[in-house]
Amino acid sequence: MTTAQRPPSVDSPARAKAKSTIYRLAAVAFGHPLPETQQAFADGSFNQALDSAWQAVTGRPWPCQPASSSFAELEAGYISAFRHGRQGRPQVALVAGEYEELLDGQMRPTFLLNVQAFYKHFGLKAAVGDEGLTEEPDHLSAMLEFMAVLTHLEAQALAAGKEPTSYRLAQRDFLKRHLVPLLATIQRQVASEKRLTLDATLVRLIEDLPEWARNQLVELEARVGPYDEKVKGAAIKGRALDQNLWN
């Protein structure tokens, strides 16, 4: 049994590193399952790593979830829910561009351009996934991985005694514009589906991540200021984000 611990201070490299670990582990969990994913769920190493990071950020334990009985069960549940479980379409999309309310009046190419502008600013691009295809930039896993990079850079800056504000501004903007809305939408969609056979760890992440991400956004706005809606307005009009926005 784990016990809650006192989180490190907000400005500690350890806490930023723990946030990065949460985002990175969640990104792995929501990518297409691999046998290694099932093994990490089954032997408890995934839950142990996530619990340690979760406590370091929140002061609360993250409860261990029972694993799927086999990799085949894990993968089948994932494919049915997130890939093509109903008439060739996902029951719950993990891709933001599949939701009209998240496009917010934009055409999807414009929406993707603005997501990719975040990645490009930090020298990143969507990775090649397990099936040899480039992952969609608006896929939940890609967005979580991007936040893992930003919090890792924040941790490095704090450890070196450098100013972390630029990384925190980028986190705030990306959470506000993309990740928090997508997590909330996925949570609602999963709650409305009655026949999902998802792994319990994925279900728990879908339940817990939206509130955790919102709390991260609140914390960031308290430290670096509120999100500027003018930035969103410029993006919706089809202009990519200013490359100097977080400098």
Side-chain angles (χ1 to χ4, degrees), residues 8-246:
S9 69
V10 172
D11 282 321
S12 75
R15 190 167 186 272
K17 185 177 180 180
K19 290 190 296 181
S20 183
T21 297
I22 293 172
Y23 285 123
R24 177 175 51 81
L25 290 172
V28 169
F30 286 109
H32 190 96
L34 298 172
E36 292 84 355
T37 311
Q38 166 64 14
Q39 180 63 37
F41 287 174
D43 65 20
S45 57
F46 179 93
N47 282 276
Q48 184 177 9
L50 183 56
D51 174 62
S52 178
W54 194 268
Q55 289 198 54
V57 177
T58 69
R60 303 187 306 275
W62 196 80
C64 181
Q65 306 301 311
S68 300
S69 62
S70 65
F71 171 66
E73 181 181 344
L74 170 66
E75 186 177 40
Y78 183 96
I79 290 173
S80 176
F82 300 138
R83 287 292 181 91
H84 42 73
R86 181 184 298 150
Q87 298 180 340
R89 294 187 60 79
Q91 292 174 269
V92 178
L94 295 182
V95 179
E98 293 292 322
Y99 297 104
E100 288 293 331
E101 64 268 33
L102 298 183
L103 293 177
D104 198 21
Q106 302 170 79
M107 298 296 290
R108 192 172 181 203
T110 301
F111 177 80
L112 291 176
L113 177 66
N114 285 291
V115 173
Q116 289 172 313
F118 279 93
Y119 303 162
K120 183 178 179 181
H121 180 84
F122 293 95
L124 303 173
K125 61 181 180 180
V128 175
D130 63 292
E131 297 178 343
L133 301 175
T134 301
E135 192 171 67
E136 302 97 325
D138 56 338
H139 191 284
L140 175 60
S141 185
M143 291 188 178
L144 289 165
E145 186 62 40
F146 178 59
M147 288 298 298
V149 170
L150 291 180
T151 44
H152 172 72
L153 293 172
E154 178 190 2
Q156 285 189 322
L158 289 168
K162 297 180 180 179
E163 178 57 55
T165 299
S166 61
Y167 305 123
R168 289 173 172 172
L169 287 169
Q171 290 174 54
R172 178 202 64 189
D173 291 357
F174 197 76
L175 282 167
K176 178 72 174 182
R177 291 181 53 196
H178 298 303
L179 186 54
V180 166
L182 178 57
L183 286 170
T185 300
I186 291 171
Q187 185 185 53
R188 288 194 299 271
Q189 287 293 111
V190 168
S192 69
E193 293 287 343
K194 305 302 182 185
R195 298 183 180 179
L196 294 178
T197 56
L198 277 174
D199 181 270
T201 295
L202 295 179
V203 172
R204 185 75 193 208
L205 285 169
I206 289 167
E207 292 173 352
D208 291 349
L209 282 176
E211 180 180 4
W212 183 78
R214 285 193 296 270
N215 288 341
Q216 298 311 300
L217 176 59
V218 169
E219 178 184 295
L220 286 162
E221 290 196 314
R223 297 188 69 77
V224 298
Y227 173 76
D228 186 355
E229 286 292 334
K230 293 178 182 178
V231 174
K232 177 182 176 182
I236 289 176
K237 292 176 182 177
R239 297 193 295 274
L241 292 173
D242 184 346
Q243 291 297 295
N244 296 315
L245 186 59
W246 304 295

